[in-house]
Amino acid sequence: MLVSPVKDQLERSQPVKKLKTRDSQDGNALWEKSIFDLKSSGILETEAIVGKVVKKSELLTSKIKTFYFFLGVADETASVKLMVYGKDLHRRIKEGSSYIFRELIQDGKYVKVNASNSVSETNPVNVPEEFEREAERLLYPELTSIKDIKSSPPQTHVSVEGTVTQIYPVQKVKVQHKEKMTNRQSFKLRQEAEEISVTMWDEATEQSKDLSFGDVLLLTNMKPNEYCGKVSLNSTQFTKITKIQSVGIWKVTQD
């Protein structure tokens, strides 16, 4: 049966359903909008999105002492990064749970959530794996390529992504200005044609001790170090290793 193009267009433009809110009976219920449509055409005050919180950042403070944080949210159509204000919402919103987000504000590159009554928990949203990964990556810090790390002046901290190509066992070494022996573990990280040595120190070795050959990693807050013309990366107290893809094959190279 043929469908009229005009009728088809009208049906596609109609909201699919109303959200079940306390004011639904008086005709003021919000229209649900998919994240894909939000990113394509923006959002109105009379619309809301429903999505799963895949990733939540730590609580941050602006220069004017305003508390805010970021969320990586996804539904069955796409993912989006939300900027959310308030300590209370940071406490209430949990990774892995699904929420209705109302009264969203599109402000430049951010979609913002202001009031604590703009968010309410709802039934679980089924999210395809590809959009879960997208939502998680939305909260990753800005990455620096291994090539740029090697060729640029030393920076305070960098974040980099790559594949583990070689792993060395944890060793105890003597470090200047420390009485006790310190744990150290090194591995090599490759990104396309570039490779760099990475050294984890002290408590940071707890994050690297179970790495496998072939794991794809995101390393955040690493400190570049140059010695005899060779650049390497060292862990800091803020370093975090995130496994983007794990192959689960253990391979340690003995010195």
Side-chain angles (χ1 to χ4, degrees):
M1 181 178 67
L2 295 176
V3 179
S4 165
V6 175
K7 181 180 179 182
D8 181 64
Q9 185 175 358
L10 287 172
E11 288 179 349
R12 288 176 179 270
S13 66
Q14 295 299 316
V16 177
K17 62 179 180 179
K18 282 189 174 183
L19 293 172
K20 294 180 180 179
T21 58
R22 285 177 296 180
D23 56 358
S24 296
Q25 293 182 350
D26 61 18
N28 293 323
L30 300 175
W31 294 111
E32 179 180 352
K33 191 165 195 172
S34 72
I35 292 177
F36 178 85
D37 287 339
L38 162 69
K39 296 169 75 172
S40 301
S41 59
I43 194 163
L44 304 174
E45 291 183 0
T46 55
E47 298 171 326
I49 62 170
V50 181
K52 176 182 177 181
V53 173
V54 179
K55 193 77 173 175
K56 180 177 77 170
S57 76
E58 69 275 17
L59 190 64
L60 305 168
T61 310
S62 69
K63 293 180 180 179
I64 57 173
K65 305 301 181 183
T66 300
F67 294 101
Y68 68 98
F69 59 100
F70 294 100
L71 296 175
V73 178
D75 64 8
E76 63 276 9
T77 67
S79 63
V80 67
K81 182 177 181 179
L82 299 182
M83 184 176 185
V84 187
Y85 289 93
K87 276 186 176 181
D88 180 59
L89 281 177
H90 189 267
R91 177 184 57 81
R92 284 170 43 200
I93 295 175
K94 308 295 183 184
E95 288 183 356
S97 296
S98 298
Y99 298 87
I100 301 170
F101 296 92
R102 306 173 177 85
E103 301 175 28
L104 299 176
I105 300 171
Q106 196 117 28
D107 184 8
K109 64 178 181 178
Y110 292 122
V111 178
K112 296 182 177 181
V113 182
N114 281 317
S116 60
N117 60 0
S118 299
V119 180
S120 57
E121 192 166 359
T122 188
N123 295 328
V125 175
N126 293 322
V127 178
E129 185 178 351
E130 62 175 309
F131 296 139
E132 286 224 19
R133 289 185 179 180
E134 279 184 10
E136 188 171 10
R137 293 174 74 91
L138 287 173
L139 267 62
Y140 287 171
E142 185 176 346
L143 301 180
T144 305
S145 70
I146 292 177
K147 183 178 180 180
D148 286 343
I149 292 172
K150 289 181 174 181
S151 60
S152 303
Q155 303 169 52
T156 306
H157 292 99
V158 297
S159 297
V160 63
E161 185 179 307
T163 303
V164 176
T165 57
Q166 203 166 17
I167 310 168
Y168 299 92
V170 178
Q171 297 178 321
K172 287 192 175 292
V173 296
K174 181 65 178 175
V175 178
Q176 194 175 10
H177 307 307
K178 282 192 176 183
E179 293 183 4
K180 294 183 179 180
M181 300 289 279
T182 300
N183 285 340
R184 180 186 70 184
Q185 184 173 29
S186 298
F187 59 92
K188 291 185 178 180
L189 199 71
R190 177 175 288 275
Q191 186 185 85
E192 297 179 348
E194 298 289 339
E195 191 172 63
I196 195 167
S197 293
V198 179
T199 302
M200 308 295 287
W201 294 94
D202 205 8
E203 294 179 357
T205 57
E206 289 296 315
Q207 300 185 59
S208 60
K209 66 180 183 180
D210 293 327
L211 294 181
S212 299
F213 175 84
D215 282 346
V216 180
L217 308 178
L218 169 68
L219 309 180
T220 56
N221 292 313
M222 300 294 296
K223 184 172 178 60
N225 178 60
E226 185 175 354
Y227 181 72
C228 295
K230 191 172 184 179
V231 178
S232 61
L233 291 174
N234 286 278
S235 65
T236 68
Q237 61 177 323
F238 304 109
T239 291
K240 182 179 179 182
I241 295 179
T242 302
K243 284 189 181 182
I244 298 174
Q245 183 177 340
S246 178
V247 296
I249 302 173
W250 177 252
K251 182 178 180 181
V252 175
T253 301
Q254 300 291 336
D255 281 334

